[in-house]
DNA sequence: GTGTTCACTGAACGGTGTTCATCAAAAGTC
DNA sequence: GACTTTTGATGAACACCGTTCAGTGAACAC
């Protein structure tokens, strides 16, 4: 009875194939330019066939979103492995920027498209690559705080949110408001890290 | 020969009427939901008539963008009038957030839609409400720097860009990634200001 | 009164997402 | 092997979309 298994496998393969082609099209021309008909054409099936594998166009977007977050997490992880908190923050910032600016359409899809898309991906705060990516920033800020190098009154979690917001702001303004920001993204990232980090206080070191 | 004048006035009035209706529709359902046909229906003209007043749908978006930036500038100006730099920064942040969160679709239109839209509005760095809004932030950061309360190495302009990016990040993440940020926007705004501002250094006051 | 201008429109073109009855081939059953 | 059932795939349709353009009728100029 390997038939049902084979069918299931073929079905999964086609689904995967559709998603890969869709991903390529989105990366080239953006999600807005992805039409079900063009996608069907590209995979050499009739448009209606796509609906046997995905509920609708949004379902494809959702799937691509998940993969986008996986890529983001993968892009951040090397930087998150750095021990020294300040250096780690800086590396995380650079990695985030590089991801956003080199994959603009992916970035737009996961962070600047419809709210419904990314909202549900942040529901489960434990699993999911979105929350896990954020957790890396939180950890970095906690370590920074433990080293006594953050503004005292601000909790690490809030600091991480401000950090993420800053990074997202830099990337998304570069993507939409072309030519607004005067400074290069890397410079802004460094400036952002500089605002977060406080000089170590010699008086507190003995404590 | 008041006829041509009257015609011109009527023409301008209709154009204005179309824009007002378009603005209402965008504020209610977002720019994506604004269709030329529905707009034509709402103003009780045939769709083709709209093209006698606007080159295409994007031209309407551009016009609404300009108005959006005017509203943003108007929202920021009271806060910009505050003397004390730290307080001013805080007020600017709150005003920016309020604007973004209370007019989400306007905000999306001017900052999160197509790059072409806002790009050209930031070409002329002197005039235009976009650059002038940004100038308010730059001035605030310059005054903050003059008071010796910024990170020393970072120029005021860069600081302003980081500030704007932070604000934009907070607003746009609230708009797209609903439920991602744990903290309320106002709290994050305060935290953002806190990261930018340094304690006054008593040693430098005498200088 | 006649000619001209011009705001306006209906209909069309080519595109979109989505649905559904239909069909042929594969799988299951005897 | 013949018959029935299941099922992957589809063509055609529906209701939208932005945009164009020939045509029309009323207001204007003379």
């Amino acid at each position: 009875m390997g038939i049902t298994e084979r069918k299931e496998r073929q079905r999964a393969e086609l689904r995967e194939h559709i998603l890969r082609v869709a991903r390529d099209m989105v990366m080239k021309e953006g999600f807005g330019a992805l039409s079900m008909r063009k996608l069907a054409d590209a995979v050499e099936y009739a448009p209606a066939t796509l609906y046997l594998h995905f509920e609708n166009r949004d379902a494809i977007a959702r799937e691509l979103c998940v993969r986008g977050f996986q890529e983001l997490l993968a892009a951040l992880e090397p930087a998150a492995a750095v021990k020294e908190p300040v250096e780690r923050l800086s590396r995380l910032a650079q990695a985030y920027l590089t991801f956003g600016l080199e994959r603009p359409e992916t970035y737009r899809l996961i962070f600047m498209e419809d709210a419904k898309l990314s909202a549900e991906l942040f529901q489960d705060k434990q699993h999911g690559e979105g929350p896990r990516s954020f957790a890396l920033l939180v950890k970095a800020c906690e370590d920074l705080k433990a080293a006594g190098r953050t503004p005292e009154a601000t909790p690490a979690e809030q600091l991480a949110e401000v950090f993420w917001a800053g990074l997202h702001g830099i990337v998304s303004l570069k993507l939409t408001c072309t030519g607004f920001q005067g400074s290069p993204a890397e410079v802004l990232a460094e400036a952002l890290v500089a605002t977060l980090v406080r000089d170590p206080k010699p008086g507190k070191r003995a404590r």
Side-chain angles (χ1 to χ4, degrees), chain A:
Chain A
M1 192 55 80
I3 288 178
T4 58
E5 289 170 11
R6 193 208 65 209
K7 282 201 165 185
E8 214 163 290
R9 197 178 59 239
Q10 284 177 338
R11 187 179 157 77
E13 272 167 14
L14 177 51
R15 188 188 149 91
E16 187 59 32
H17 178 56
I18 294 172
L19 279 175
R20 267 200 304 271
V21 174
R23 199 191 93 112
D24 288 352
M25 295 176 70
V26 167
M27 284 189 23
K28 274 194 200 105
E29 315 170 78
F31 180 71
L34 175 72
S35 90
M36 297 300 269
R37 289 175 141 94
K38 281 196 287 185
L39 177 55
D41 237 44
V43 296
E44 299 179 302
Y45 279 89
T49 302
L50 300 182
Y51 291 84
L52 301 178
H53 296 268
F54 301 94
E55 191 193 341
N56 49 30
R57 187 168 172 265
D58 275 357
I60 297 181
R62 204 154 40 233
E63 206 79 39
L64 293 180
C65 244
V66 172
R67 280 153 205 246
F69 275 115
Q70 287 169 354
E71 293 174 24
L72 174 62
L73 179 59
L76 294 184
E77 263 167 349
V82 172
K83 284 277 185 311
E84 207 283 309
V86 178
E87 172 69 10
R88 195 196 315 169
L89 232 60
S90 175
R91 293 274 303 276
L92 280 169
Q94 297 294 344
Y96 190 100
L97 256 59
T98 304
F99 176 83
L101 299 179
E102 285 185 356
R103 292 171 167 79
E105 297 303 344
T106 303
Y107 193 87
R108 289 192 88 94
L109 176 63
I110 65 181
F111 280 125
M112 303 163 70
E113 217 68 36
D114 204 1
K116 287 171 293 182
L117 285 182
S118 39
E120 64 193 55
L121 293 180
F122 274 94
Q123 287 310 76
D124 187 348
K125 302 270 183 198
Q126 302 304 319
H127 310 83
E129 283 76 7
R132 278 172 59 198
S133 300
F134 178 57
L136 297 183
L137 302 198
V138 175
K139 184 66 168 59
C141 288
E142 280 169 354
D143 291 355
L144 192 71
K145 193 164 194 66
R149 302 198 55 183
T150 63
E152 289 165 27
T154 315
E157 170 107 10
Q158 275 181 31
L159 225 53
E161 291 186 40
V162 169
F163 186 37
W164 186 301
L167 292 173
H168 174 64
I170 294 172
V171 171
S172 62
L173 284 178
K174 279 260 184 270
L175 294 186
T176 34
C177 293
T178 320
F180 156 54
Q181 293 165 331
S183 320
E186 310 85 47
V187 174
L188 290 181
E190 276 316 306
L192 172 63
V193 173
T195 62
L196 292 175
V197 177
R198 292 295 182 273
D199 292 332
K201 296 189 180 176
K204 292 218 171 181
R205 190 180 285 181
R207 185 171 162 262

